[in-house]
Amino acid sequence: METLQKNFHHPYQPYAIQYELMNAIYECIAEEKIGIFESPTGTVRPCSSFTIPFVLHCGKSLSLICGSLTWLRDFQEKALHNLETSEDDNEELGWVVEHAQNQKRNAIIEQKAEIEARLRQIRAKESRLKQRFENGEPKAKRVKSDGTGALLDANDESPFELNEYNSEDEDARAKTPCHAPSAQGLSSASLKLMEKLGLVFDSSSEKEISLPGDEVKIYYCSRTHSQLSQFVREVRRVDLPATSWTVKEVCSLADDKNDKAVVKHLPLGSRTNLCINPQVSKLGTAPAINERCLELQQPDTPKDLKCPFVPDKENETLVNDFRDHTLASIRDIEDLGSLGKKIGICPYYASRSTIEPSEIVTMPYPLLLQKSAREALNISLKGHVIIIDEAHNLMDTISNIHSMRVTQSQLKRCRAQLGFYLQQFRNRLKGKNRVYVAQVVRLIDSISDYLEKKVSEKAPAEGIVEVSDLMAGKGVDQINLYKLMHYLQESKLARKVDAYVIHTEKQELETKPETNTRSHVSEMPVLTHVQSFLQTLTNPTAEGRFFREKDESNDLSLKYMLLDPTHHFKDVVQDARAVILVGGTMSPMDDYIRHLFAYVNPDRLRTFSCGHIIPKENLVAIPVARGPGAIEFDFTFDKRNSPTMIEALGNFLIEISASIPDGLVVFFPSYAYLDQVVLRWQANSSVSMRSLWDRLQEKKPIFRESKATTGVENVLGEYSQAISAGKGGLLLSVIGGKMSEGINFSNALGRGVVVVGLPFPNIQSAQWKAKLEYVEKSIVDRGGSKDEGKAAAREFYENACMRAVNQSIGRAIRHRGDYASILLLDRRYRTSRIEGKLPGWIRQGIVKGKGEGDFREVVESLKTFFESKKGT
């Protein structure tokens, strides 16, 4: 095929399906489409079986990088050398057009070449002085400060007072007209033509001569910083060809003639990742760090108390140094923090000046998916390429980012802190401040009273809540929520109150260290969090719903859940040149088209699912309907707790453990069910009688995933060591748990994967009822029938389950030479409806005619499969 001949500058020899993926990505961007890509391709080359932390060089990531960056390089060259003119240009002014185009092109090349030369010089210097650069002080004079200066005067409460607020200015917007300066010596026709060509610029908006404008770039985002760091490592492997401006003679100014231009990459992160002020970063939590950072920048904060690392006019040179050093090499987020410390400038704020000249920007989900985060970083997506990796849970991620929860204890704590603040500043509150603060108090009281009422009524812990129920308090229905939210944003009330709480606590601890903090002041300010929840009261009713529920500590809480992610993702789609969603297991894809891109013209949508790089004979997949004793595997919620079923499951694992070598990973539908199964297996253990658990232990050492957030690496390390020692291992995990995403069980770590049952969500929960009702209603609202709406809701429910299953299955088989068995334990896996939602490469590996009757057929198939793999 002709398309396979394109050079994507892949660092290794790609497989044919990786060529297909790179071509598809290139074309999707070039045609400005929205692409949904499924790529289970694992590593480009085999890696050690026992690598910790189980993360390998990702073929999918390299395909993404090579396909998208090759397009970007081609686009940059075409944009430079093919400056277009309007069809109705005046022929008499053709020489003006040609001269102006050449002049502009040469200026751009000169500008880019100067930048490349400067970056090369930086790389050369870093290479020569690496040790000194890593351990020594930067040339710029470092500000000697602990980050916060002296403490605030204990008696000075002025920083916590509210400024006067005038509601008449709520909708005021400053408008400054812009006028382009007149050009001397040119006719009006010439000026009009040059303006059309983009050759007339407003001098008032000119930027530093050494910087290009906001050039077309790639925004890449993924779930975690560890995944982003892995992506950055793959970017470093790619060697793109020189461009017309990198071979310009001016580049000979660089010291290293063999040095090549590198991709201009910028990693973005939150203050938590990038704060270099030790007095702020030590606060630990994101809310505390954010609030303290903003507090130190307030206009009324004395100059000697402000953070010395925040960019300003005095340290602009340091910002430029930070920008150039960032772009000179491909750095990850940790490198950026270290660079900021060496130069003496805040990397969180200084990185903003680096966004425009970057070619690829990496960031975690929230920074891209939250409009407020993009605005805070001055990010414009207009005309740029968006790539969202690990996008199998994108809709859930968008919903979670824009959902909020507040507990009754938080409301009470907030009310106490607000009351304490009012007690101290009541006489200083005047005019609108007094009115709006009183409204905030009444609103919080109304919401808290609702929860108290439900507790006293002994109402069900879970249920749907109407906004009118939350605003039933005295006088609350008269509050204009939109004006109140505007007041909270403009007055910074939450920041003032939270800062005052922290201030008084510190003051009391210093004066009376032996005593606890006052009962009315908590160690954790919460008004900022409560304000975010109150903001959801203004959201359109159709987008989301409110629920009440109890958390793990039995504290009653309110939750706002976004039901429709479309609106919050729509502005990303409409601004971007192209959007690419990619994941190893994106099947089933219907949900993205129906519920995320329903408004998009179908001609702009493209789906692509490539096969696996392994040959078919390296996979055996068997849906198992019956276990030992001909017990039907039916792990539905009503039947899975049967002692007979649980014992049959244990006996089945004992049988296959003897046939599957090395590592066997078993995924359960929930932590609760895993706990129940383990308890049953461990029962009846004594000296005279071996339990199922003891018999399993004899086959393989057992390792178990816990619900705790810590200890995962220890479990994985012990599991890997047992396998490397030749003992094998049985790892009990949970679908949707910590080991079902981002961890790869390649080679001996995952010769067998067993999925127990189907992890359907609780359809009787208030939240899932609301979700399915919304899906049904949205189909009817778009002209579908009620039956079509019900069918769509059922499809949505099943797809949510199968995406989780597919993600767990995808943990095994990570490169071309890998092989594994996949066993799906439940009679429902044999139905065409469920089987059809499995990834294509799994369906192709299903062994027909096995697993329906005698389970011994399954055992024999496994023995035959692994016998054929001996010596490979």
Side-chain angles (χ1 to χ4, degrees):
M1 292 175 60
E2 184 179 347
T3 54
L4 294 182
Q5 301 305 311
K6 187 170 187 63
N7 183 4
F8 286 103
H9 316 291
H10 201 287
Y12 310 116
Q13 179 58 47
Y15 300 115
I17 57 173
Q18 291 172 327
Y19 266 120
E20 292 175 17
L21 178 58
M22 290 186 289
N23 270 310
I25 290 169
Y26 187 102
E27 292 172 2
C28 183
I29 300 174
E31 297 170 8
E32 301 186 9
K33 292 184 179 294
I34 298 169
I36 305 170
F37 290 79
E38 181 176 63
S39 171
T41 56
T43 57
V44 176
R45 53 182 180 176
C47 299
S48 169
S49 302
F50 311 113
T51 301
I52 300 294
F54 299 72
V55 177
L56 307 173
H57 304 321
C58 184
K60 178 190 67 177
S61 294
L62 276 173
S63 298
L64 274 174
I65 293 164
C66 294
S68 59
L69 285 182
T70 299
W71 171 85
L72 184 62
R73 278 287 184 265
D74 290 350
F75 174 83
Q76 289 170 336
E77 291 287 355
K78 289 177 183 177
L80 182 62
H81 295 285
N82 297 316
L83 295 176
E84 296 180 357
T85 61
S86 177
E87 293 180 359
D88 60 348
D89 287 344
N90 190 329
E91 293 182 2
E92 295 181 1
L93 297 171
W95 66 271
V96 175
V97 174
E98 183 178 357
H99 175 73
Q101 285 180 330
N102 288 335
Q103 195 173 38
K104 183 179 180 181
R105 184 182 299 114
N106 290 335
I108 292 174
I109 291 176
E110 193 75 20
Q111 181 189 50
K112 288 177 177 289
E114 287 177 359
I115 294 172
E116 290 298 336
R118 189 168 69 246
L119 299 184
R120 288 186 181 211
Q121 288 174 334
I122 290 173
R123 286 195 294 273
K125 181 179 178 181
E126 288 183 351
S127 178
R128 292 193 311 267
L129 308 174
K130 184 176 180 181
Q131 193 62 39
R132 287 178 57 190
F133 183 80
E134 289 293 329
N135 302 321
E137 289 291 323
K139 282 189 175 181
K141 185 178 179 181
R142 186 186 295 271
V143 180
K144 293 183 179 181
S145 172
D146 64 356
T148 58
L151 294 174
L152 290 171
D153 185 344
N155 298 317
D156 182 15
E157 296 182 341
S158 59
F160 312 111
E161 291 183 32
L162 292 169
N163 297 324
E164 288 190 22
Y165 182 79
N166 188 351
S167 60
E168 294 178 0
D169 297 331
E170 285 172 346
D171 300 321
R173 295 290 184 270
K175 296 182 180 179
T176 305
C178 295
H179 302 284
S182 61
Q184 300 295 325
L186 292 175
S187 68
S188 59
S190 297
L191 282 172
K192 185 176 180 181
L193 175 59
M194 293 182 72
E195 186 177 358
K196 236 190 261 183
L197 295 171
L199 302 177
V200 176
F201 302 97
D202 182 354
S203 61
S204 63
S205 63
E206 286 183 0
K207 299 185 178 182
E208 180 187 354
I209 192 169
S210 62
L211 280 179
D214 189 15
E215 298 195 341
V216 173
K217 61 178 61 64
I218 297 165
Y219 284 99
Y220 170 90
C221 75
S222 193
R223 288 189 309 115
T224 65
H225 280 292
S226 61
Q227 290 171 334
L228 292 170
S229 294
Q230 180 183 340
F231 181 83
V232 172
R233 287 194 293 272
E234 301 303 323
V235 174
R236 291 177 181 141
R237 298 176 186 276
V238 180
D239 186 12
L240 292 174
T243 56
S244 57
W245 52 88
T246 59
V247 296
K248 190 90 167 92
E249 287 185 3
V250 71
C251 288
S252 64
L253 296 173
D255 296 330
D256 186 357
K257 301 296 192 299
N258 297 320
D259 182 44
K260 296 181 179 179
V262 299
V263 177
K264 296 178 185 64
H265 165 254
L266 170 67
L268 289 178
S270 63
R271 289 182 179 88
T272 308
N273 304 111
L274 295 174
C275 178
I276 62 172
N277 187 326
Q279 298 300 321
V280 177
S281 60
K282 73 178 184 180
L283 297 176
T285 65
I289 291 173
N290 290 338
E291 285 306 308
R292 183 59 174 157
C293 174
L294 294 172
E295 178 189 341
L296 294 177
Q297 298 177 60
Q298 292 305 299
D300 51 6
T301 301
K303 186 175 181 179
D304 60 329
L305 298 181
K306 290 181 179 292
C307 178
F309 305 111
V310 174
D312 55 28
K313 291 183 179 180
E314 295 180 2
N315 58 21
E316 189 173 350
T317 302
L318 298 183
V319 174
N320 294 337
D321 286 346
F322 177 87
R323 178 197 67 209
D324 293 346
H325 279 82
T326 298
L327 297 179
S329 303
I330 298 174
R331 306 177 188 272
D332 61 21
I333 198 71
E334 287 78 16
D335 296 330
L336 216 61
S338 299
L339 180 63
K341 289 179 181 178
K342 301 302 178 188
I343 294 177
I345 196 74
C346 173
Y348 175 75
Y349 285 106
S351 60
R352 299 183 185 188
S353 67
T354 315
I355 294 175
E356 286 196 355
S358 298
E359 293 177 312
I360 181 167
V361 178
T362 54
M363 63 180 77
Y365 280 166
L367 296 188
L368 177 78
L369 300 177
Q370 280 184 298
K371 187 175 182 179
S372 59
R374 297 197 303 272
E375 290 175 346
L377 292 169
N378 299 323
I379 291 176
S380 170
L381 302 180
K382 192 72 174 179
H384 300 298
V385 178
I386 312 299
I387 298 178
I388 301 177
D389 201 358
E390 301 297 329
H392 54 279
N393 283 332
L394 178 61
M395 290 186 291
D396 290 338
T397 300
I398 297 172
S399 295
N400 291 337
I401 286 175
H402 295 91
S403 297
M404 283 294 300
R405 183 194 305 273
V406 65
T407 66
Q408 173 72 313
S409 59
Q410 287 175 325
L411 288 169
K412 288 181 176 179
R413 194 183 316 144
C414 175
R415 180 63 177 86
Q417 292 175 356
L418 194 54
F420 176 61
Y421 179 84
L422 286 173
Q423 183 180 353
Q424 303 300 315
F425 292 90
R426 185 180 301 276
N427 295 332
R428 282 173 272 186
L429 289 178
K430 298 178 181 179
K432 292 295 182 179
N433 278 326
R434 182 184 292 272
V435 172
Y436 281 120
V437 172
Q439 288 183 3
V440 174
V441 171
R442 287 204 302 271
L443 183 55
I444 292 175
D445 284 344
S446 180
I447 296 172
S448 183
D449 289 345
Y450 168 81
L451 292 177
E452 289 288 355
K453 182 180 178 182
K454 290 301 173 183
V455 172
S456 63
E457 291 176 351
K458 296 183 179 180
E462 186 184 58
I464 295 176
V465 179
E466 300 295 336
V467 175
S468 57
D469 295 335
L470 301 178
M471 300 187 65
K474 184 177 180 181
V476 176
D477 59 340
Q478 301 300 314
I479 295 176
N480 185 323
L481 286 176
Y482 298 96
K483 283 192 173 184
L484 181 60
M485 293 305 109
H486 182 85
Y487 168 78
L488 289 173
Q489 292 170 2
E490 294 297 318
S491 69
K492 308 295 189 292
L493 173 66
R495 190 176 302 160
K496 299 277 188 179
V497 173
D498 288 348
Y500 187 65
V501 168
I502 295 173
H503 172 68
T504 54
E505 286 180 342
K506 286 183 178 178
Q507 186 179 356
E508 182 160 343
L509 286 172
E510 288 172 2
T511 56
K512 299 179 181 179
E514 73 283 354
T515 62
N516 292 325
T517 55
R518 301 182 188 180
S519 59
H520 55 259
V521 179
S522 169
E523 70 285 353
M524 180 64 184
V526 291
L527 183 53
T528 301
H529 176 77
V530 172
Q531 177 182 325
S532 299
F533 179 81
L534 297 180
Q535 183 70 50
T536 63
L537 295 172
T538 65
N539 289 355
T541 306
E543 283 187 9
R545 298 297 299 269
F546 288 89
F547 304 90
R548 68 173 185 273
E549 58 186 15
K550 284 189 176 181
D551 59 20
E552 295 179 354
S553 62
N554 211 33
D555 191 7
L556 195 60
S557 64
L558 286 170
K559 178 182 179 180
Y560 171 79
M561 185 174 72
L562 183 72
L563 297 175
D564 184 6
T566 305
H567 172 74
H568 292 278
F569 195 59
K570 190 173 183 179
D571 53 350
V572 172
V573 173
Q574 291 180 331
D575 278 353
R577 172 184 296 270
V579 177
I580 292 176
L581 311 185
V582 64
T585 50
M586 296 294 287
S587 298
M589 294 185 182
D590 293 345
D591 282 355
Y592 306 99
I593 298 172
R594 186 177 296 159
H595 304 295
L596 197 59
F597 302 120
Y599 60 92
V600 176
N601 187 324
D603 292 338
R604 200 188 171 199
L605 292 172
R606 175 174 184 175
T607 59
F608 179 91
S609 180
C610 61
H612 210 291
I613 55 178
I614 61 166
K616 292 182 180 179
E617 58 269 20
N618 280 19
L619 169 68
V620 56
I622 307 176
V624 183
R626 294 186 180 274
I631 300 297
E632 184 178 56
F633 280 149
D634 184 354
F635 292 95
T636 53
F637 187 77
D638 293 335
K639 297 181 179 180
R640 69 185 187 185
N641 297 324
S642 162
T644 303
M645 182 86 67
I646 294 175
E647 289 178 10
L649 172 61
N651 286 321
F652 179 80
L653 293 179
I654 290 172
E655 293 291 338
I656 64 171
S657 291
S659 303
I660 299 176
D662 302 318
L664 174 60
V665 185
V666 183
F667 287 101
F668 288 79
S670 68
Y671 287 104
Y673 188 59
L674 171 58
D675 292 341
Q676 182 179 347
V677 168
V678 169
L679 283 174
R680 181 69 189 178
W681 287 348
Q682 291 175 339
N684 302 322
S685 178
S686 64
V687 177
S688 59
M689 181 182 295
R690 292 180 305 156
S691 66
L692 273 170
W693 184 265
D694 296 332
R695 291 162 57 199
L696 273 171
Q697 286 271 30
E698 290 176 358
K699 298 294 183 181
K700 295 179 186 289
I702 302 177
F703 305 89
R704 179 180 170 188
E705 176 183 349
S706 70
K707 198 172 183 179
T709 56
T710 58
V712 176
E713 291 186 4
N714 292 336
V715 173
L716 290 175
E718 292 170 2
Y719 173 68
S720 175
Q721 290 171 9
I723 294 171
S724 61
K727 301 176 183 178
L730 176 61
L731 180 60
L732 307 181
S733 307
V734 174
I735 299 173
K738 295 175 286 294
M739 297 186 188
S740 65
E741 293 192 34
I743 295 176
N744 301 328
F745 296 103
S746 65
N747 300 328
L749 296 173
R751 290 302 182 207
V753 173
V754 176
V755 180
V756 179
L758 288 156
F760 281 108
N762 181 7
I763 200 171
Q764 298 302 320
S765 70
Q767 295 183 29
W768 265 98
K769 282 182 179 179
K771 280 185 179 182
L772 298 180
E773 286 173 3
Y774 178 82
V775 170
E776 184 176 339
K777 182 178 181 299
S778 64
I779 296 298
V780 174
D781 290 345
R782 292 201 291 265
S785 66
K786 198 165 184 178
D787 287 342
E788 288 173 331
K790 289 183 179 299
R794 179 186 177 187
E795 188 83 1
F796 182 82
Y797 182 62
E798 290 178 349
N799 289 350
C801 167
M802 290 307 296
R803 269 196 301 274
V805 170
N806 294 340
Q807 187 65 17
S808 297
I809 293 173
R811 298 307 88 212
I813 309 184
R814 306 305 298 178
H815 61 84
R816 184 173 179 82
D818 208 352
Y819 58 91
S821 58
I822 296 174
L823 305 176
L824 307 171
L825 273 56
D826 199 295
R827 61 171 181 78
R828 291 169 289 179
Y829 282 112
R830 303 203 70 87
T831 64
S832 58
R833 186 176 183 88
I834 296 299
E835 183 180 314
K837 297 180 187 297
L838 292 168
W841 64 277
I842 295 289
R843 294 198 302 271
Q844 293 173 7
I846 290 179
V847 179
K848 302 296 182 181
K850 305 292 183 182
E852 295 183 50
D854 194 339
F855 85 98
R856 293 185 185 86
E857 294 179 348
V858 176
V859 176
E860 288 301 317
S861 295
L862 293 173
K863 287 181 179 178
T864 302
F865 174 74
F866 286 108
E867 281 290 331
S868 69
K869 298 301 174 186
K870 284 187 176 179
T872 60

